[in-house]
Amino acid sequence: MEYVWLKDKIISRHDAYVHFDDRGYYFGDGIYEVIRVYEGVPFLFDEHFERFLRSAKELDMPLPYSITKLKENTRFLLQKNDIKNGYVYIQMTRGEQARDHLYSRDIQPVITAFTKEAEVPVTKQKNGVSLLSTEDIRWLRCDIKTINLLGNVMAKRKAEDNDCDEALQHRGDIVTEGSSTNIFFVKKGVIYTHPANNHILNGITRQYVFNLAQEEKIPIFEEAFPLEETINADEIFVTSTTLEIAPVINVKGSIETSLQPGTITRKLQQAFKEHTNAG
């Protein structure tokens, strides 16, 4: 039997239902985190919940429990479902209220969570992924990990329809990020990625890559990367909780180029696996 977390209980998935008046259903009024699990242990656990707390504060959304309690419940859910390698998804909406744009501060936020077994995507990590270059149409608070992801969803669908794994989004001439990944460029041994401002989500794996790059003595800078310079990149790679680190082998769309997985990408991949014992 698979268990899920709903409000303050761990229950069977078959018994779990979301209330019709949940503001997540009406407005996408909520936040979430996806946390990787290796051999039953959640990876970068503290970092994910620090971002969860930040997202909640940015949306004026109180936590129904302490961070300590949230972590305890998450671990318990992982144990109940006996997850070895996979991830846990945790979501919090503002709560249940008759539909109204103006939210009340007197309603109780609703927590839901589920787990999923998922192996490391070694094929994509080895062979690389394709990106579709497309205009970034999302709102201006991409730094909040909200469940309102329509712009990301549309970009991902467009990439798939063009035989690509992921989007390479850009605002005008500046590359921002993927639909569910952060994007890095390598030029002459130096890594560049978009600054962690309101135009991108400051990915947890993205942050970890900064630590790995420093350990490996690879220069890395938060610097906006012009779209036209994509064709001059020596390497491009993407990161996310579920994908980890994967090289980009071609870009289609508003700009086109082909690449090979490079030495810096491979070095970071190896360092990541040594830290996580992932695969």
Side-chain angles (χ1 to χ4, degrees):
M1 180 181 292
E2 184 180 357
Y3 295 91
V4 298
W5 174 4
L6 175 62
K7 296 185 178 179
D8 59 348
K9 297 179 180 179
I10 304 296
I11 62 176
S12 165
R13 188 183 189 112
H14 300 296
D15 297 328
Y17 295 94
V18 177
H19 195 281
F20 190 87
D21 283 332
D22 192 295
R23 289 184 61 89
Y25 171 72
Y26 284 137
F27 300 107
D29 190 357
I31 60 174
Y32 76 102
E33 285 290 330
V34 179
I35 304 171
R36 222 4 169 137
V37 179
Y38 299 109
E39 297 301 325
V41 179
F43 184 58
L44 300 174
F45 206 36
D46 292 342
E47 290 84 348
H48 277 284
F49 275 104
E50 286 171 7
R51 187 173 62 180
F52 191 77
L53 178 59
R54 178 188 180 276
S55 294
K57 287 181 176 178
E58 290 295 318
L59 292 182
D60 186 30
M61 193 179 296
L63 295 181
Y65 324 107
S66 68
I67 289 293
T68 299
K69 180 64 174 177
L70 291 172
K71 290 179 179 178
E72 289 176 356
N73 283 10
T74 303
R75 288 193 179 97
F76 183 63
L77 181 63
L78 288 169
Q79 292 169 2
K80 285 284 285 184
N81 286 327
D82 193 26
I83 297 297
K84 298 303 182 186
N85 294 292
Y87 63 83
V88 55
Y89 175 99
I90 179 169
Q91 173 177 299
M92 183 174 78
T93 67
R94 195 176 300 277
E96 298 162 1
Q97 177 188 13
R99 191 182 187 281
D100 190 336
H101 280 70
L102 180 62
Y103 61 85
S104 169
R105 290 195 174 96
D106 296 327
I107 57 177
Q108 179 85 345
V110 173
I111 295 277
T112 54
F114 68 87
T115 62
K116 184 175 181 179
E117 285 281 355
E119 295 302 319
V120 174
V122 292
T123 300
K124 288 184 177 180
Q125 292 177 359
K126 179 181 178 181
N127 298 335
V129 297
S130 299
L131 306 185
L132 179 73
S133 175
T134 184
E135 185 69 30
D136 192 339
I137 63 171
R138 300 170 300 162
W139 75 323
L140 295 178
R141 289 307 308 272
C142 296
D143 56 305
I144 304 172
K145 198 168 178 65
T146 171
I147 63 174
N148 199 326
L149 293 170
L150 276 178
N152 306 64
V153 167
M154 293 171 70
K156 181 71 81 173
R157 180 71 264 172
K158 187 175 180 180
E160 173 68 20
D161 288 345
N162 285 272
D163 299 319
C164 291
D165 302 285
E166 172 62 307
L168 183 151
Q169 299 183 101
H170 55 91
R171 292 186 185 269
D173 188 45
I174 299 300
V175 173
T176 50
E177 59 184 343
S179 66
S180 59
T181 61
N182 290 114
I183 298 176
F184 295 77
F185 300 86
V186 180
K187 184 66 178 177
K188 296 181 179 178
V190 178
I191 304 173
Y192 300 92
T193 191
H194 194 287
N197 57 21
N198 62 298
H199 287 161
I200 73 161
L201 180 71
N202 190 8
I204 301 301
T205 306
R206 173 190 185 276
Q207 297 173 45
Y208 199 63
V209 163
F210 273 78
N211 295 335
L212 295 178
Q214 290 168 4
E215 288 181 9
E216 298 295 327
K217 295 181 171 53
I218 304 170
I220 184 168
F221 294 99
E222 292 185 293
E223 186 176 310
F225 203 86
L227 180 63
E228 64 269 17
E229 284 299 308
T230 300
I231 60 176
N232 296 318
D234 298 324
E235 302 175 40
I236 302 176
F237 63 90
V238 296
T239 65
S240 72
T241 293
T242 53
L243 193 57
E244 300 177 350
I245 302 170
V248 173
I249 55 173
N250 60 61
V251 180
K252 303 177 184 179
S254 48
I255 197 163
E256 299 194 359
T257 187
S258 296
L259 308 99
Q260 294 293 326
T263 56
I264 287 180
T265 303
R266 292 304 193 206
K267 184 177 290 188
L268 291 172
Q269 286 180 319
Q270 182 60 36
F272 188 93
K273 292 190 182 301
E274 289 172 359
H275 280 264
T276 61
N277 293 319

